[in-house]
Amino acid sequence: MTPGPRLVVVGDPAGRRVAFLQDALRAAGLPGARAVSWADVLRGRARFAAGETVRVDSPGEVPEVDLLLRGTADPARVEGGRVWYERFTAALAGLAAGAARAGAVLVDDPAETAVLFDKRLTHGRLAAAGVPVPASPTSGPGGAPVRGWDDLVALMAGAGLRRVFVKPAHGSSASGVLAVETAGAGRVQAATSVERDGAGRLFNSLRVRRYTGEREVGSLVDALAPDGLHVERWLPKAVQGGRAADLRVVVTGGRATHAVVRTSRSPLTNLHLGGARGDLAAARTAITAAGSRWEDALAVCERAAAAFPGTRCVGVDLLPGAGWRRFAVGEVNAFGDLLPGLTGLPGSGAEGLDTYGAQVADLLRNPPGPASAPVLAAASASSPAPTGTPGSAPRTPAAGAPAPRTTGTSTSP
């Protein structure tokens, strides 16, 4: 391989995400990426060079970074999402400007990343693109504000909603999410991972608990509201093995490349909250038995990703309706690719590759700009394509229909 421009990754240099990316680069015959910490970006110490290609990854849960972004070094705290978002997006814009001045190019569009970290804006963009999403009174830049419990009650009544998900607008990993149910006469309950200490501060726990009554649930909504809230209809989910089920589908370069079923006995299916990986083959069988097609389910995810054409890889939370007949998109995640050990779907072009390997293969096929073209082209010419990835496979056009797929199941641990 001839020397040339290098890939730079902005993230946690000691974290799993960066390690997985480095492994994928080595497997593809590429040099390792130069790692830049988010702490250096936030402190104004990050520097880039002409010809570098910059991939921005998650800030992770580094105490120093949390302190700089949220104002607290405790990653378990729920509050502070608005401050986090303002500082994160400002830092991202500064990073992009610095890279451009130096002659470096970013893999992803920072403006789209900013939209992806606001659930209200993401929902509005998906709805405008015709992607099926749960009904929401807070959708888009003109959505209704939620200043507290009274606003939520009024919005639910106005929209005829008795069951909703209340989500911090800038949250992730189900942080601060409330699954709220009402039954009239002041009867209300909420399932959430939020735990409150004696001082009234909110923390994430690893256990989903239930709060009952307007006083308890309302006080949680009031505490979360200053950071911004997104409200959407709680759609009845499909069931697998007696547990609620949804899917995380990773879309890379316009194609759905990886998928995992997540099941839970609670409304929150996140794996770190007691959710478990389900049976993807069984889900596909259930979809077919219901008269739908697996390819159509993946196409919904690809349409959601196409609403963000400047972002190479997203994780789409696909909500199969009761009976596995219909599908809606719950969220689109900018950093939704952390699925260790999961290899690509048959027919996706990512067979045998994990999510990071698929992204490296996509960069080889479609360099993001002139700065990265020489080294990536040289690597592609001098190194064999990763197993199962055709080096000449075209990227699916963002607005086009997905190419035909073969049948089969993905390999997962």
Side-chain angles (χ1 to χ4, degrees), residues 55-119:
R55 180 186 188 273
V56 177
D57 211 324
S58 169
E61 296 183 350
V62 180
E64 179 187 6
V65 174
D66 276 340
L67 181 61
L68 292 169
L69 286 173
R70 194 185 300 272
T72 174
D74 186 349
R77 286 291 297 276
V78 175
E79 302 100 317
R82 185 188 297 274
V83 172
W84 185 97
Y85 179 76
E86 291 171 351
R87 294 177 179 177
F88 172 73
T89 53
L92 193 58
L95 183 159
R101 286 194 300 269
V105 62
L106 267 61
V107 171
D108 295 320
D109 180 353
E112 288 189 356
T113 304
V115 173
L116 287 164
F117 272 95
D118 188 318
K119 298 183 192 303

Side-chain angles (χ1 to χ4, degrees), residues 116-120 122-123 126 131-134 165-175 177 230 232 246-249 262 268 270 300-301 304-305 308 314-319 328-334 336:
L116 287 164
F117 272 95
D118 188 318
K119 298 183 192 303
R120 300 162 298 189
T122 296
H123 190 284
L126 294 173
V131 177
V133 288
F165 276 97
V166 180
K167 304 177 179 181
H170 312 299
S172 61
S173 303
S175 174
V177 172
H230 174 60
E232 61 187 33
D246 64 15
L247 294 95
R248 165 63 61 84
V249 179
R262 307 181 301 184
L268 307 177
N270 299 72
V300 170
C301 299
F308 301 91
V314 294
V316 179
D317 290 345
L318 185 68
L319 312 178
V329 172
E331 295 188 16
V332 181
N333 304 273

Side-chain angles (χ1 to χ4, degrees), residues 1-7 30-32 49-53 370-379:
M1 184 186 309
T2 59
R6 292 284 299 275
L7 184 68
L30 291 168
E52 288 185 323
T53 296
S372 60
V375 69
L376 293 175

Side-chain angles (χ1 to χ4, degrees), residues 267-298:
L268 307 177
T269 58
N270 299 72
L271 300 179
H272 71 285
L273 295 178
R277 288 193 182 187
D279 187 332
L280 186 60
R284 294 184 62 166
T285 299
I287 290 169
T288 301
S292 298
R293 298 195 315 152
W294 171 244
E295 292 79 7
D296 294 338
L298 295 185

